Amino acid sequence: MAEKPWVRMVTAQTPTNIAVIKYWGKRDETLILPVNDSISVTLDPAHLCTTTTVAVSSSFDQDRMWLNGKEISLSGGRFQNCLREIRARACDVEDEEKGIKIAKKDWEKLHVHIASFNNFPTAAGLASSAAGFACLVFALAKLMNAKEDNSELSAIARQGSGSACRSLFGGFVKWIMGKAEDGRDSLAVQLVDEKHWDELVIIIAVVCSRQKETSSTTGMRDSVETSLLLKHRAKEVVPKRITEMEEAIKTRDFESFAQLTCADSNQFHAVCLDTCPPIFYMNDTSHRIISCVEKWNRSEGTPQVAYTFDAGPNAVLIAHNRKAATQLLQKLLFCFPPSSDTDLNSYVIGDKSIL
Ligand code: 2P0
């Protein structure tokens, strides 16, 4: 008699992360090894996160994936690398409640179905791939009972999308670029947890939620090939900034934190302009937000808010505390009233949080 079909499922939720010292440029495109260290803050899962359910069943005859309800191809190298790496670490599973027993050797033959949802626009410069691959790797690791810790899993998520490795932890996270040619030491570590600096408030001003024109992958490849500023940045600027940023975070020194965050965002966009052909991720509204924050910070004598922009026009604004966040919102609403014809159309407010 044929065995009764069974299914085992795991659901995970992973927030996205925002870099305060940016990753831009790879030294190895396949393994996704960066040209410099980076540091990020992980957001509250309530606002910008991916929820992924992975399932394995004796009745599945191929690996399949759905993103926001639409089936997508799993044939890309990045998905295949993540699946292969997790399968290689799969262990015996014994689910007494459901009466399911999967031996380590069986995982090679079994297929998975993956359903993933983002609660924010995909590919609009809000780091959707970061949350997506981190969540996928984490959920698969739980499904297959892999014993690796989050840093070891981060080196697998990195092979899906570089910035994904930083979403395996909450709080402030550093992606160490590593030295090994095989990428085994290019992984994420938590610098401090989400409670360490919990007075910070992060506001995302969604300037435009359309998909960006130049993907990060293409953009950073062009920058590595053509930008002299990127070479200078990776070698001379970032190593010093990483040390200073770690110190600012450890001591909760908002003035240094804000100065380093804004400078690094501006240099990343300068590298984009220094790329051939030049890449324009920010737009006029982004520039007006920078002017507004710079003017306010200068008038206060000490910074109240840091700004940073990724591969898109949306502003990530990190306020020193709730009072500064309230004042910032008032200023933004004054400069960009809801009825105006600018693109600025919503604010996402969240505290830092944990995976
Ligand atoms: C970052 N970004 O550090 C930087 C800042 C965008 C600007 O990481 O090719 O989607 O998948 O490794 O991770 C975006 O790059 O690129 C990114 P891949 P990814 O957050």
Side-chain angles (χ1 to χ4, degrees):
M1 199 174 73
E3 192 192 341
K4 205 169 146 225
W6 51 264
V7 61
R8 170 178 157 81
M9 275 193 278
V10 168
T11 297
Q13 206 173 50
T14 306
T16 193
N17 71 78
I18 303 291
V20 290
I21 301 292
K22 306 291 188 195
Y23 147 55
W24 196 253
K26 300 183 185 72
R27 62 183 201 277
D28 185 312
E29 291 254 344
T30 312
L31 289 169
I32 310 194
L33 301 176
V35 294
N36 56 257
D37 292 346
S38 53
I39 293 179
S40 60
V41 57
T42 301
L43 299 184
D44 183 334
H47 297 287
L48 292 167
C49 81
T50 298
T51 304
T52 299
T53 298
V54 289
V56 59
S57 169
S58 51
S59 65
F60 294 165
D61 56 5
Q62 56 173 317
D63 295 335
R64 295 175 72 182
M65 177 162 180
W66 292 260
L67 176 60
N68 296 327
K70 205 173 147 218
E71 184 157 15
I72 59 165
S73 166
L74 273 174
S75 62
R78 291 169 173 224
F79 282 113
Q80 290 305 320
N81 290 347
C82 290
L83 279 166
R84 187 194 62 239
E85 293 295 319
I86 294 288
R87 275 200 173 103
R89 289 162 178 81
C91 294
D92 294 344
V93 169
E94 204 167 335
D95 188 334
E96 279 180 20
E97 206 179 303
K98 289 198 170 153
I100 299 171
K101 266 190 184 180
I102 306 169
K104 187 178 165 73
K105 63 175 172 39
D106 294 339
W107 283 109
E108 286 302 321
K109 300 188 292 266
L110 288 165
H111 294 284
V112 289
H113 284 186
I114 303 159
S116 201
F117 288 89
N118 292 330
N119 67 352
F120 59 97
T122 302
L126 290 173
S128 55
S129 64
F133 275 104
C135 201
L136 174 68
V137 166
F138 187 80
L140 285 173
K142 295 297 155 220
L143 182 79
M144 299 188 188
N145 199 19
K147 307 286 191 237
E148 276 65 25
D149 66 22
N150 280 14
S151 264
E152 290 164 317
L153 292 181
S154 80
I156 300 174
R158 188 203 74 227
Q159 297 174 56
S161 188
S163 51
C165 72
R166 298 185 310 234
S167 271
L168 266 301
F169 295 97
F172 281 94
V173 183
K174 176 177 170 182
W175 174 10
I176 301 167
M177 62 183 282
K179 289 195 179 99
E181 271 186 24
D182 64 2
R184 66 182 181 278
D185 57 357
S186 186
L187 41 77
V189 293
Q190 188 181 52
L191 294 176
V192 292
D193 70 17
E194 71 290 347
K195 292 194 266 328
H196 172 77
W197 205 352
D198 58 1
E199 63 179 347
L200 296 181
V201 179
I202 299 176
I203 293 174
I204 298 183
V206 180
V207 171
C208 173
S209 58
R210 281 191 298 272
Q211 292 218 348
K212 57 199 172 196
E213 277 168 28
T214 310
S215 76
S216 300
T217 308
T218 310
M220 66 176 92
R221 184 183 302 139
D222 288 349
S223 294
V224 167
E225 282 170 8
T226 63
S227 171
L228 282 177
L229 180 57
L230 179 61
K231 291 188 203 330
H232 171 69
R233 165 179 165 75
K235 266 215 161 108
E236 310 294 338
V237 180
V238 175
K240 190 164 167 267
R241 266 188 198 159
I242 289 278
T243 310
E244 290 170 353
M245 182 58 95
E246 283 192 59
E247 184 62 19
I249 291 167
K250 216 165 68 190
T251 57
R252 294 188 286 259
D253 172 355
F254 189 77
E255 188 166 353
S256 302
F257 172 81
Q259 189 269 324
L260 290 163
T261 299
C262 299
D264 204 69
S265 173
N266 290 333
Q267 189 178 65
F268 154 53
H269 290 278
V271 165
C272 291
L273 282 182
D274 190 46
T275 298
C276 186
I279 309 161
F280 311 102
Y281 284 129
M282 291 196 284
N283 64 17
D284 285 351
T285 307
S286 319
H287 294 146
R288 282 182 59 203
I289 293 171
I290 293 180
S291 297
C292 174
V293 173
E294 288 281 355
K295 212 165 111 191
W296 180 32
N297 282 343
R298 269 197 306 277
S299 73
E300 291 286 323
T302 170
Q304 302 299 305
V305 172
Y307 57 82
T308 187
F309 294 78
D310 282 338
N314 302 316
V316 178
L317 301 158
I318 307 177
H320 192 181
N321 48 37
R322 288 214 157 256
K323 186 171 163 227
T326 308
Q327 287 176 316
L328 172 68
L329 278 175
Q330 283 167 353
K331 280 179 198 302
L332 287 174
L333 286 168
F334 179 76
C335 294
F336 304 95
S339 59
S340 78
D341 56 3
T342 60
D343 278 345
L344 195 65
N345 52 30
S346 63
Y347 305 90
V348 181
I349 307 169
D351 300 315
K352 296 177 287 84
S353 192
I354 195 168
L355 191 67

